[in-house]
Amino acid sequence: MNKVVSILESHPMFNKISHKHLSMLGEKSKIIKIDSGDCIYKTGDKSLHFYIVIKGVYEALDSRENKRWKKSEFLKAGDVFGDGGILEESTRYRSVLCNDSGELIQIPDSAFLEVIQEAERLTTVLDRTNKSKNLQFNEAHGIFEKSTQRITTFLDVARHPSTQKVIRHICRTLNLETQQPVLLIQLLERGGEVTLRELGNQSNSILAANTLPKNEHAMLAFIQLKIRLSEDDSGLPHLIRLLHLSKQHFPSIVIHVASQNYSKTVEECIRLSTISYVGINYKNIQHYHNCHFLNHLKSGIQSRIRVIQIINKNDPNPPRNEIESQLGLPIHGTLLTNPKSIPIPDIEFAEYEQKKRFTAQFRRIVREILGKRIGLVLSSGGAKGFAHIGVIQVLEENNIEVDCIAGSSMGSYIGACWAAGYNGKELEKLASEYKQRFSIFNLMTPSMRLRKGLLSTHKLAENLDKRLNGSHFRDLTIPLCVTATNIHSLENTFFTRGRVSAAVQASCSLPGICMPCEIDNETFIDGGVMDPLPIDFMEDLGIEKVISVSTVLTSEHNHINQLRLRRKQRNKNLLHKCSDFINTRINYFAHGNVFHTIMRSIEASQIRLVERDLLRSDVAIQPITSNNDWLKFNCPEKHIELGRESAEKHLHELKRLAA
């Protein structure tokens, strides 16, 4: 096969083009070598060729503003350029220079136009930025492939001391997770060991000094370079070159930008990054509010930025809405800099749990950088939801951490307690409290407003508030989402802010049985009505791997349950039949009565929803018995053990997912 054809075939832009068109391009195109400093084309030149970068770094300069060259962007392996002038039948409006010697595929304009006309897909793929999606060129195989290098940028706008501490902690954690060297590049306004311009002549020697001999650096968590930012962007090409050269030595690179000033250098760091963070501290909120740099981000590359609130010991933790209104950017998450600041309930070995969850928050950031986040989805199911505790215990015993929890109804209650600091053993202790007779009334009490519902879940919210010390979502040690159904709009609502107990109360308010719950002048009922297994939230958040735990009845178990009930009915004696007769006359929850009918109606809709959503999970755990009594809270140990057994059956899959 023609070498050009095999390269084009591996490029995301061309890999679905017909072999006929690829062969035509391969015959008419060629690979050209470019030396550092060469000009590919200048502004005003005739548009004769379309280019694909194989190797090297190229600088595209825009001359349209004030008739002067203005730095526009850098192009690397996989990026394409030159299509604008060809498609618009105009001369070049940019100049492209080679910054670091390499190779290009040069495609004649006639061949490019012929493929564009024949292959409609190309017209939808092409855009004016033509930035590749993290590609690199594999010289051994002669193809493009996804780059294994990860670049993460941390923007320290207020230059707060805690930000540097957090970044160093993340670098160490990244090294532990990947077992690979990490390069930390600090771009400083003042100080620094070398300027970006001086870096240009020293890149190779710096990398050699920091990577060879390897045995001297085997014990280091990361290598640190302190670089002084230039007043202009003249040093940017040298930074690009350093990043380009370092990928063979450092799969993970962290860039720490300690500057309030916007520059092309900082913007390019964000563009090159897999993910970018802004570390903020509430005490210095005025630094961000008046910062020209963040104002530029809001109108430009805001979507690439994730704001992390860094909280020191004794710092206030106000509602996120308050910070966001001042900052103008959404808060992505929170990092606490002191283990003793981690809010943990009064449990046994609380100090150990604090330290464990303190380090877990940094691993959560690292898994986000690596694209390996795990989400845990806990279904509705009433008393059967105690099985979630057994699954959580198995996860903890095997050191499988989750980065986010989404829960519906009983799943939201268990998920909230775990997210607030209760471990698996403590959750089992909480569940054992319901073994006592009439303990169900710790969750539900007779309603005084029978027109709204037979039971009130107000006691549930009170008890949960005591267990969680009145926690808001921002106080939880694991991010949590609680789902409830808006009774007026009939829409599923995801709660991630406000008081946790109110959201859980809404999610547990069974329609027709419990009084609806009001939050912010909106009325909500049980989350299991619309979304008994809230996987949609995980997909909206971009969580890469999902573990689902469903205690919702399946078609198979429903069939088994019906056979069991029929057999039981046939074997009943006269005393049992009399007892059933009386029960059906006085018990609203008895088989065939109003609330039993309501629950069966909800289950009927849940079966199909859950069966569909389980197929979207990476690991689906179903601790379900043929005994489908959702109201029996007095035997939690049975459900917990069932949850453990079900999770252990999937232990190999769970470990592989977390690897």
Side-chain angles (χ1 to χ4, degrees), residues 561-622:
N561 192 37
Q562 293 306 307
L563 292 176
R564 183 182 63 83
L565 286 173
R566 288 170 191 164
R567 187 165 55 250
K568 190 175 179 181
Q569 288 290 340
R570 286 197 300 267
N571 296 332
K572 281 184 178 180
N573 56 32
L574 182 61
L575 181 62
H576 284 131
K577 290 180 179 179
C578 291
S579 175
D580 284 350
F581 178 81
I582 296 171
N583 186 45
T584 56
R585 295 300 184 276
I586 64 174
N587 182 5
Y588 285 93
F589 294 91
H591 184 85
N593 284 352
V594 58
F595 297 122
H596 174 263
T597 303
I598 290 173
M599 283 307 302
R600 292 295 288 173
S601 301
I602 294 173
E603 286 174 338
S605 63
Q606 286 180 336
I607 288 175
R608 293 180 182 233
L609 289 172
V610 169
E611 287 179 347
R612 178 202 67 188
D613 287 340
L614 285 172
L615 296 174
R616 298 155 62 192
S617 309
D618 294 281
V619 178
I621 301 172
Q622 293 178 277

Side-chain angles (χ1 to χ4, degrees), residues 65-117:
E65 188 174 312
N66 299 327
K67 297 183 179 179
R68 292 185 304 174
W69 281 16
K70 180 185 177 183
K71 290 184 178 65
S72 180
E73 64 176 332
F74 284 85
L75 306 164
K76 58 188 189 315
D79 290 339
V80 299
F81 63 95
D83 61 295
I86 296 173
L87 294 174
E88 295 167 10
E89 298 182 353
S90 63
T91 56
R92 304 292 190 189
Y93 59 82
R94 296 196 303 181
S95 298
V96 179
L97 306 174
C98 180
N99 203 275
D100 191 26
S101 57
E103 295 179 355
L104 298 170
I105 293 180
Q106 187 184 68
I107 302 175
D109 57 347
S110 57
F112 177 69
L113 284 171
E114 187 176 339
V115 173
I116 285 287
Q117 291 166 0

Side-chain angles (χ1 to χ4, degrees), residues 109-128:
D109 57 347
S110 57
F112 177 69
L113 284 171
E114 187 176 339
V115 173
I116 285 287
Q117 291 166 0
E118 295 295 328
E120 293 182 4
R121 180 180 174 275
L122 268 184
T123 60
T124 60
V125 172
L126 272 171
D127 58 43
R128 288 299 171 265

Side-chain angles (χ1 to χ4, degrees), residues 298-317:
K298 281 183 274 186
S299 60
I301 49 179
Q302 177 184 347
S303 60
R304 295 175 177 266
I305 297 295
R306 300 187 182 184
V307 178
I308 299 293
Q309 185 186 4
I310 298 171
I311 301 178
N312 298 308
K313 191 176 181 181
N314 301 323
D315 276 356
N317 186 9

